[in-house]
Amino acid sequence: MSNSTTTTRTSARGARGTTAGPAGGEKSRRIDSLGRSIRLGISRIGYELRVYSRQGDSVFFTFLFPIVMLSIFAVAFSNAGNIGAAPDGTGGISFAAYYLPGMVAAGMLLSGVQNLGVDIAGEKGDGTLKRLGGSPLPVISYFIGKIGMVLVSAVVQAALLLLVARILFNVDVPTDPAKWLTFAWVFLLGVITSCVLGIALSALPRSGKSATAVVIPIVLLLQFISGVYLQFTMLPEWLQNVASIFPLKWMAQGMRSVFLPEGFATVEQGGTWNLPWVAIIMGVWFVVGLLLTRMTFRWIRKDT
Amino acid sequence: MTNSDNVVSVTDLRKSYGGVTGLDGVTFDIRRGETFALLGPNGAGKSTTIEILEGYRDRTSGDASVLGVDPQRGGIDWKARIGIVLQSTGESGNVTVLEQLTHFAGYYENPRDVGEVIDAVGLADKAKTRIGKLSGGQRRRVDVALGIIGRPELLFLDEPTTGFDPEARRQFWTLIDGLKSEGTTILLTTHYLDEAAHLADRAAVINAGRIVDIGTIDEIGGADARVPLVRWRRQGIRHERRTAEPAALVAQLHAESHGEPDGLEVIRPSLEDIYLNLVGASRADALDAEAVLA
């Protein structure tokens, strides 16, 4: 981010240097450079998607992981009866239906935090960032490329996940447009928040090789305490409170509000889906991620 | 900047890493259109100098100006005017040569033609090969191609031909000659002294963070270092003498020995000989200094 501020400073200096420049010169130059940043950012999205789709291992582990996990849960508990069924065994929903929202949320987290955290730490280690830092690519274009790549892959991933759930495991998906509207904003805000957190987290590993060792335990732990694999209300209250600090719990809760029947809201903390807090907590983490990114992201570690 | 013809201007550049001195007062200028070589052993400060000028490292003290801008504050506009070939090859194994160059060309206002650049670095038949599948020398050529794709005014080449076979090195020289004739200013570091002799107009020899000598390729090391050496054997004993008039000495030897002198050699010191002398001498000085301090 430090680079983009430098640019503005340089162009401002340049505009002042031209004697008979038009009054709006500086402003139009800034718009030019914003346009250029966006154009290059879009070109980065295509480039990143190409590189991403050619990496066999990360495609498997982050892209297909939620789908694999949903399948395992659905098959493992296929004889266990429904969740939330009446004492006579009627009603309720299947395990596949119950796990679907958690897996959608896990996919959002993995696509952003795990994918970008490992990816960018690796690019730092292998010299990619050093090369980009010496080129006239604005930092913001680089980020647009990364976030765009994650958004595209997360959308495809969620679509596949829903398709597998619907076709293989016969899970009912909502028909109410209002539910899909909730899905859209929770998904978008969740993925973008995960992205900025992933970018911020990429500053932590000291080398590209240690990146997975640093990032994976964090996301794994979050998944266990946030109601992705274990039913959230089964956790002790103090652990629920800890998990409520982090965004994944709220992503999962938002997704449950979309995919689970209304009656399930009563077992949530406070007895409601609490969508306003879903938005607030994710929004706060988005801002925190942005600030951390701004403070920590460098093309290269200077003086090492 | 005092002289607008200077593309690079460095004055008393110093860099220390936690108390260890990497650069100890380096001063030089590079004029527009010039090819300037930085020579020196590993760890002498070549890469530190070049990375400060590329904007990758901050200096501890001294002044530096690159294309009229302090490289510590070089923004996007400035980066668009320079080309960088780093010492180590990075990454991007998953895209093809053509894809990589096409993508990077998009960063620049007036890039070179991608096809022409691929031809110029001799990778025409590898254009559609993924970079990860190329050999080390071929990847290096991709680095060079990426360095020049933006039509830079100033090109940094940090040991560009490491891993090249002799033929590839010659091709590279031809490529650089072409850039020079277009007016590109070049800062080169290399361990190949023949490369420096072929490409550079001027060179600086740097050792232990200081410039030991600087000048045109013909001048460096001083006139004395270039005095030819005549070697011969007489009655099994080896003789050698430095002389500015080797032909006269050979004639005299011929007369004295009434025929061909044994093992006669006339050696004109190459840049490599001069360089080794310079580096060796400054190392001896440093050892002396340490001895005095101790």
Side-chain angles (χ1 to χ4, degrees):
Chain A
M1 292 300 250
S2 68
N3 274 312
S4 61
T5 44
T6 323
T7 330
T8 330
R9 214 185 303 136
T10 320
S11 50
R13 202 193 298 146
R16 235 176 286 131
T18 45
T19 40
E26 188 173 328
K27 196 179 168 194
S28 74
R29 258 199 88 169
R30 208 171 284 165
I31 292 166
D32 276 1
S33 83
L34 182 68
R36 178 176 177 276
S37 298
I38 292 169
R39 180 176 58 77
L40 288 180
I42 290 166
S43 130
R44 287 293 301 175
I45 296 176
Y47 179 88
E48 295 276 8
L49 279 170
R50 192 174 288 164
V51 173
Y52 177 69
S53 66
R54 290 175 186 174
Q55 283 169 346
D57 51 354
S58 73
V59 167
F60 181 78
F61 280 108
T62 54
F63 188 80
L64 293 181
F65 187 75
I67 296 165
V68 171
M69 290 307 280
L70 179 77
S71 306
I72 290 172
F73 279 117
V75 172
F77 297 113
S78 55
N79 296 324
N82 282 357
I83 294 174
D88 62 0
T90 58
I93 54 170
S94 67
F95 267 87
Y98 184 75
Y99 274 109
L100 178 62
M103 291 307 144
V104 173
M108 290 154 60
L109 185 81
L110 293 177
S111 301
V113 176
Q114 179 168 321
N115 195 2
L116 287 191
V118 173
D119 179 31
I120 296 176
E123 289 193 342
K124 217 169 264 188
D126 71 12
T128 303
L129 289 197
K130 189 170 186 181
R131 167 166 287 154
L132 292 176
S135 81
L137 179 75
V139 181
I140 192 73
S141 309
Y142 174 75
F143 289 157
I144 292 173
K146 288 289 181 205
I147 294 172
M149 178 261 283
V150 169
L151 267 176
V152 171
S153 69
V155 165
V156 176
Q157 179 188 54
L160 267 177
L161 191 59
L162 294 182
L163 226 67
V164 167
R166 181 77 199 89
I167 293 170
L168 291 185
F169 305 115
N170 207 21
V171 175
D172 287 330
V173 294
T175 47
D176 180 3
K179 294 277 186 194
W180 286 109
L181 193 68
T182 308
F183 176 85
W185 73 255
V186 172
F187 186 81
L188 200 67
L189 183 56
V191 170
I192 291 177
T193 300
S194 297
C195 284
V196 294
L197 290 174
I199 297 170
L201 197 62
S202 71
L204 214 55
R206 297 299 295 179
S207 74
K209 281 179 192 153
S210 63
T212 47
V214 173
V215 173
I216 287 180
I218 297 175
V219 294
L220 201 60
L221 187 73
L222 276 182
Q223 289 175 80
F224 272 103
I225 66 170
S226 301
V228 169
Y229 301 137
L230 308 173
Q231 198 179 335
F232 190 69
T233 45
M234 281 166 42
L235 302 175
E237 199 183 335
W238 67 267
L239 194 55
Q240 292 189 12
N241 291 336
V242 171
S244 301
I245 300 170
F246 299 103
L248 182 59
K249 183 258 179 186
W250 301 95
M251 294 180 198
Q253 190 167 321
M255 284 301 165
R256 284 198 293 274
S257 85
V258 173
F259 292 102
L260 299 190
E262 267 319 306
F264 278 75
T266 51
V267 300
E268 295 288 330
Q269 272 185 316
T272 70
W273 298 124
N274 207 350
L275 289 179
W277 275 96
V278 170
I280 289 166
I281 300 289
M282 284 201 288
V284 167
W285 276 101
F286 173 71
V287 173
V288 167
L290 269 190
L291 291 175
L292 283 175
T293 297
R294 195 181 160 107
M295 285 189 297
T296 60
F297 184 82
R298 299 284 179 274
W299 286 124
I300 62 160
R301 256 187 246 282
K302 282 200 177 184
D303 302 332
T304 49
Chain B
M1 208 164 66
T2 49
N3 188 342
S4 61
D5 282 346
N6 286 340
V7 171
V8 174
S9 185
V10 172
T11 312
D12 198 25
L13 195 65
R14 285 167 200 276
K15 173 78 190 173
S16 47
Y17 304 88
V20 180
T21 303
L23 288 181
D24 194 10
V26 166
T27 300
F28 63 88
D29 293 326
I30 305 175
R31 288 185 279 272
R32 187 165 292 280
E34 190 175 41
T35 297
F36 186 84
L38 265 182
L39 310 174
N42 288 329
K46 300 189 300 293
S47 286
T48 304
T49 307
I50 206 167
E51 292 205 340
I52 288 173
L53 298 177
E54 289 163 345
Y56 284 124
R57 289 169 196 262
D58 293 343
R59 59 188 182 272
T60 308
S61 69
D63 285 318
S65 162
V66 173
L67 294 166
V69 173
D70 180 343
Q72 245 160 271
R73 303 179 189 284
I76 300 289
D77 298 344
W78 176 77
K79 287 181 189 173
R81 297 167 65 198
I82 63 174
I84 296 176
V85 177
L86 292 165
Q87 195 177 98
S88 52
T89 307
E91 47 61 36
S92 308
N94 279 330
V95 289
T96 68
V97 174
L98 182 63
E99 287 168 342
Q100 182 79 337
L101 279 162
T102 306
H103 177 70
F104 271 76
Y107 297 176
Y108 298 90
E109 203 117 305
N110 179 25
R112 283 177 213 276
D113 182 82
V114 171
E116 281 173 21
V117 170
I118 291 176
D119 283 345
V121 297
L123 287 175
D125 55 338
K126 299 282 178 191
K128 294 196 171 144
T129 305
R130 290 196 193 174
I131 294 171
K133 297 209 165 31
L134 298 178
S135 73
Q138 288 168 336
R139 282 199 212 189
R140 201 70 190 127
R141 297 195 215 179
V142 177
D143 292 337
V144 172
L146 289 170
I148 64 174
I149 189 75
R151 216 181 285 277
E153 288 172 54
L154 169 64
L155 177 62
F156 294 101
L157 296 169
D158 200 354
E159 299 182 15
T161 58
T162 307
F164 280 27
D165 59 40
E167 194 194 347
R169 179 166 290 125
R170 293 282 166 171
Q171 280 176 7
F172 173 77
W173 291 359
T174 311
L175 170 68
I176 299 302
D177 285 335
L179 295 175
K180 287 174 68 168
S181 67
E182 288 174 29
T184 311
T185 309
I186 298 169
L187 173 53
L188 167 79
T189 77
T190 181
H191 282 302
Y192 302 103
L193 278 297
D194 57 337
E195 184 160 288
H198 182 95
L199 293 177
D201 304 307
R202 282 194 310 141
V205 176
I206 185 167
N207 196 20
R210 286 167 187 272
I211 289 189
V212 184
D213 198 11
I214 184 166
T216 63
I217 292 293
D218 306 332
E219 289 166 3
I220 206 157
D224 290 348
R226 295 172 190 280
V227 174
L229 184 69
V230 180
R231 273 194 196 136
W232 70 97
R233 269 202 317 273
R234 185 174 287 163
Q235 289 151 6
I237 300 168
R238 241 174 74 164
H239 297 269
E240 59 177 46
R241 193 182 302 162
R242 286 193 176 276
T243 169
E245 294 170 333
L249 177 59
V250 170
Q252 185 195 332
L253 291 173
H254 188 263
E256 285 172 7
S257 57
H258 307 291
E260 278 297 311
D262 288 339
L264 178 71
E265 282 180 287
V266 178
I267 301 152
R268 212 165 266 279
S270 68
L271 182 60
E272 185 151 340
D273 298 322
I274 294 164
Y275 163 81
L276 289 172
N277 271 332
L278 279 170
V279 171
S282 79
R283 208 166 264 167
D285 285 353
L287 287 177
D288 286 351
E290 274 170 30
V292 170
L293 286 173

